[in-house]
Amino acid sequence: MMQSLNPATGERLETIATLDAAGIQARLAQADQAQKAWARTPVAERMPHLRAVARALREDKAELARLISLEMGKPLAEALGEVEKCAWNFDVYADAAPAMLGDDLVASAATDSRIVYDPLGLVLAVMPWNYPFWQVMRAAAPVLAGGNGLVLKHASNVPQCARAIEAVCARAGLPRGLVTTLLVGAAEVNGLIADARIAAVTFTGSTPVGRSLAAAAGQALKKQVLELGGSDPFIVLADADLAAAAAVGVKARFQNTGQSCIAAKRFIVEASVADRFVEAFVAATRQLVVGDPFDARSTQGSMARVNLRDELHQQVLASVSEGARLLTGGRPLPGPGAFYEPAVLDRVTPSMTVAREETFGPAAAIVRVRDAEEALAVANGTPFGLGAALWTADLQRAEGLTRRIEAGAVFVNGMVASDPRLPFGGIKASGYGRELGVLGLREFTNIKTVWTGPART
Ligand code: NAP
């Protein structure tokens, strides 16, 4: 059984039966059949289906966003934005995929030599709860555009969202089974990976689970893309626009109630401007309104589960005992729900808990550094390598610095964000492979060489 709980109230919304072995087999067989037919559908004919999914998402936006907020606690305005972004992603691929999937002629080869991008098959998507729609639809649009099918094993705390994803795709007219949700627990994942009908795996989630899933996929020799945890640096150099950096930094840390892989987690600030940055950052943090996700005044919702809130609190407490200064917040709010007062920790050093570990919730760590060189050393001194932000007025210098930051993306004078047109992914313990853009689409294609000699009669 799976429990759909409202983390803001603790209320049980629904108890949902998980699939048994026979149910899994039947649904996989249906998905396999649907994918085989879809793979034979010419690329141009797949695109109207992608547009239909975008349309259905927009039409159902209010209801889908309500489910997101209900099951994981984010403010409704953010949930509405999430569904809109999913629709945008489908539109972007509907526009761009035919060209991206077109044959590439290799002009220098002696005869007709080309690279073609064929479907791979069924892609198993093992997904987290933090953006219950975006994480799935980010993967789904390119997977489907490429002629593949998607089998979804979603996080167990968002089963209603998981069901709704399959339903909205069906309502849009996608062939039955092409997007299949399996309501199963984590224990079923390795069996699914090993199933001959699964061609590849895309995983978004924590680094430890990524390791074990990669081992299973490796054993089965299945292609995999891993989008794992992060501890993104947000570097503020002395010449930066401090007011803008602080305002954007607060958004970058506390958006989605701090539960984002690409949230800015470590604010690495040149000491000469640190007092001014910290003052503006703390003032903006205190403006955040923690409350009912369905109250339009709330800018911070509930965290997704009480245990996750408690883990974050332990990280904050440990860092304070290690010498960090708690400037604001840092308290679980009393009463039901998983609410947490947004915390700012100053005078953090790289060896403290909030700097060493990923903090997946509303807690910002400020590390003061001597200069840009030390900022880079601190930024790179982590097992993770997902995103990074760099704030400076000197764009020429920034160009050199961005090359030295170990991350899958660097945003200069902005916050890290995903965009369907740009590749997204990490290095080091943040994973490998890319989603989005042309590279994300080609991850789940068979990049096939076709060499044709002269006709022989
Ligand atoms: P998680 O615990 O790793 O769970 C993610 C998914 O893996 C869920 O569907 C979960 O199912 C499943 N799972 C858990 N244990 C498993 C196991 N032993 N074998 C196979 N599957 C297993 O992560 P989370 O707490 O949901 O998400 C937060 C993490 O995701 C953070 O580390 C965050 O940084 C990362 N994340 C990364 C990105 C990115 O793009 N790089 C984006 C978002 C989040 P159950 O729910 O049934 O356990």
Side-chain angles (χ1 to χ4, degrees):
M1 289 293 174
M2 262 175 201
Q3 305 298 340
S4 172
L5 303 174
N6 179 344
T9 61
E11 177 199 358
R12 175 168 307 163
L13 301 166
E14 197 181 334
T15 299
I16 299 174
T18 47
L19 271 184
D20 61 14
I24 294 172
Q25 289 309 316
R27 306 217 78 209
L28 277 180
Q30 186 185 51
D32 187 44
Q33 228 173 16
Q35 188 278 324
K36 287 195 161 81
W38 180 247
R40 290 191 299 271
T41 306
V43 175
E45 288 172 34
R46 293 179 206 145
M47 298 306 121
H49 289 274
L50 267 65
R51 281 191 208 291
V53 175
R55 223 169 19 247
L57 284 164
R58 290 196 176 100
E59 284 165 6
D60 295 354
K61 185 160 80 173
E63 172 56 15
L64 300 177
R66 188 186 72 83
L67 276 184
I68 292 174
S69 291
L70 209 55
E71 282 197 312
M72 67 71 68
K74 76 176 69 178
L76 186 62
E78 289 187 351
L80 288 163
E82 179 175 339
V83 180
E84 183 58 43
K85 190 167 176 180
C86 296
W88 179 40
N89 192 36
F90 271 86
D91 278 340
V92 166
Y93 275 107
D95 288 340
M100 292 171 170
L101 293 168
D103 296 358
D104 284 331
L105 290 173
V106 183
S108 59
T111 183
D112 178 355
S113 299
R114 58 187 67 219
I115 304 162
V116 304
Y117 300 95
D118 280 352
L120 268 188
L122 282 181
V123 178
L124 173 67
V126 181
M127 291 289 141
W129 46 263
N130 64 330
Y131 290 95
F133 266 69
W134 170 245
Q135 301 297 1
V136 178
M137 296 313 219
R138 173 173 93 179
V143 159
L144 297 175
N148 307 295
L150 191 93
V151 174
L152 170 64
K153 183 272 178 265
H154 215 327
S156 296
N157 55 327
V158 288
Q160 294 198 61
C161 289
R163 240 177 10 196
I165 286 168
E166 181 180 302
V168 74
C169 290
R171 200 180 80 62
L174 276 190
R176 224 167 115 80
L178 196 61
V179 171
T180 292
T181 291
L182 300 180
L183 289 170
V184 295
E188 305 296 339
V189 169
N190 285 0
L192 291 171
I193 291 173
D195 190 289
R197 288 163 292 195
I198 296 294
V201 185
T202 181
F203 172 72
T204 302
S206 62
T207 296
V209 174
R211 280 185 213 285
S212 93
L213 196 133
Q219 187 62 32
L221 292 177
K222 304 274 169 85
K223 171 76 185 274
Q224 55 198 281
V225 167
L226 299 181
E227 298 285 0
L228 309 179
S231 184
D232 285 10
F234 187 102
I235 301 171
V236 182
L237 298 184
D239 63 353
D241 177 339
L242 294 183
V248 174
V250 166
K251 187 170 179 208
R253 172 61 282 200
F254 296 108
Q255 186 173 271
N256 212 39
T257 316
Q259 303 161 120
S260 167
C261 53
I262 47 168
K265 290 167 187 152
R266 298 173 298 138
F267 293 82
I268 302 169
V269 188
E270 270 198 270
S272 60
V273 295
D275 284 344
R276 281 194 289 146
F277 175 81
V278 167
E279 190 184 341
F281 191 90
V282 169
T285 303
R286 289 192 176 131
Q287 299 294 313
L288 297 171
V289 180
V290 183
D292 177 3
F294 291 95
D295 184 331
R297 288 166 299 186
S298 305
T299 57
Q300 293 282 285
S302 162
M303 289 182 64
R305 297 197 305 253
V306 170
N307 69 317
L308 297 170
R309 190 267 314 269
D310 295 344
E311 280 168 27
L312 179 75
H313 189 49
Q314 288 311 314
Q315 291 174 306
V316 169
L317 291 180
S319 303
V320 169
S321 73
E322 289 155 358
R325 288 193 206 154
L326 183 61
L327 300 182
T328 189
R331 273 187 322 132
L333 295 188
F339 293 97
Y340 196 70
E341 218 174 41
V344 180
L345 292 154
D346 193 8
R347 307 279 175 184
V348 171
T349 62
S351 63
M352 291 180 187
T353 303
V354 288
R356 277 188 292 107
E357 298 177 358
E358 179 181 32
T359 49
F360 212 63
I366 294 172
V367 184
R368 295 170 180 238
V369 291
R370 234 177 6 258
D371 54 20
E373 282 305 314
E374 191 183 1
L376 280 188
V378 172
N380 291 337
T382 168
F384 298 108
L386 195 52
L390 172 66
W391 284 73
T392 173
D394 185 344
L395 295 185
Q396 210 176 347
R397 184 181 185 208
E399 159 107 31
L401 295 175
T402 56
R403 300 298 177 103
R404 295 172 59 200
I405 295 176
E406 297 165 5
V410 183
F411 280 55
V412 179
N413 295 329
M415 63 180 266
V416 181
S418 56
D419 179 321
R421 298 160 298 186
L422 299 173
F424 181 95
I427 58 169
K428 296 160 70 178
S430 292
Y432 44 75
R434 290 293 177 267
E435 291 195 284
L436 302 176
V438 62
L439 297 170
L441 176 60
R442 289 184 182 162
E443 288 282 7
F444 293 114
T445 59
N446 172 13
I447 302 173
K448 184 189 278 175
T449 295
V450 177
W451 182 99
T452 308
R456 293 169 196 258
T457 50

